[in-house]
């Protein structure tokens, strides 16, 4: 089992920045990729960014490319999402996720991930 706890959400003005953290515990070595997703009420969960266990590969949704940066500190078992130049359309609950296997096939799909955090609200005011 892997437990994930997000933190760092909040209210920020357009153009501002936030850094989300995802602290992982448990059998973290069993996961090959971790990701951030976001969701608004009535909408599907949307891929934001992902990073492999080694940190060698990172992936971003087109909507956040160049504004968000995903990183990880394996010594602290923590994944970060630095969000800059925030827009009102970035408003959502942000979820951290980890997969359950030593390989991954579709980092953009929520179905790839078997472990999820409880989510943290990010609100960007216009």
């Amino acid at each position: 089992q892997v437990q994930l706890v997000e933190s760092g959400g909040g209210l920020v003005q357009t153009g501002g920045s936030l850094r989300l953290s995802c602290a992982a515990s448990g059998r973290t070595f069993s996961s090959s990729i971790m990701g951030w997703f976001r969701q608004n009420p009535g909408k599907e969960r949307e891929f934001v960014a992902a990073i492999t266990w080694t940190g060698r590969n990172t992936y971003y949704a087109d909507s956040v490319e160049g504004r968000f940066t995903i990183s990880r500190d394996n010594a602290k078992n923590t994944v970060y999402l630095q969000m800059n130049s925030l827009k009102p359309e970035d408003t959502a609950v942000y979820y951290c996720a980890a997969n359950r296997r030593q390989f991954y096939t579709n980092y953009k799909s929520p179905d790839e991930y078997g472990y999820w955090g409880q989510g943290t609200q990010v609100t960007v005011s216009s």
Side-chain angles (χ1 to χ4, degrees):
Q1 287 286 70
V2 174
Q3 294 78 42
L4 303 173
V5 178
E6 304 100 333
S7 62
L11 174 64
V12 65
Q13 291 186 332
T14 296
S17 298
L18 282 174
R19 188 176 82 156
L20 305 183
S21 299
C22 174
S25 60
R27 296 172 58 89
T28 57
F29 56 84
S30 64
S31 174
S32 59
I33 192 166
M34 294 185 67
W36 286 97
F37 286 75
R38 63 188 182 188
Q39 189 172 25
N40 281 303
K43 294 191 175 182
E44 292 186 353
R45 197 159 291 191
E46 175 190 20
F47 169 75
V48 176
I51 187 167
T52 54
W53 174 252
T54 62
R56 187 172 300 140
N57 297 100
T58 57
Y59 308 98
Y60 296 94
D62 290 344
S63 58
V64 307
E65 181 84 52
R67 299 188 297 122
F68 291 11
T69 302
I70 190 169
S71 62
R72 67 188 303 156
D73 183 339
N74 285 346
K76 297 182 178 180
N77 281 339
T78 301
V79 173
Y80 304 98
L81 185 68
Q82 178 66 44
M83 306 186 294
N84 298 329
S85 302
L86 282 161
K87 305 175 181 179
E89 50 263 44
D90 294 318
T91 295
V93 176
Y94 283 70
Y95 296 92
C96 176
N99 76 342
R100 295 176 181 260
R101 48 190 185 176
Q102 292 294 303
F103 62 93
Y104 60 96
T105 55
N106 187 355
Y107 60 84
K108 290 185 178 180
S109 171
D111 294 338
E112 173 68 49
Y113 304 87
Y115 301 110
W116 293 87
Q118 81 289 351
T120 185
Q121 176 71 46
V122 171
T123 302
V124 184
S125 63
S126 57

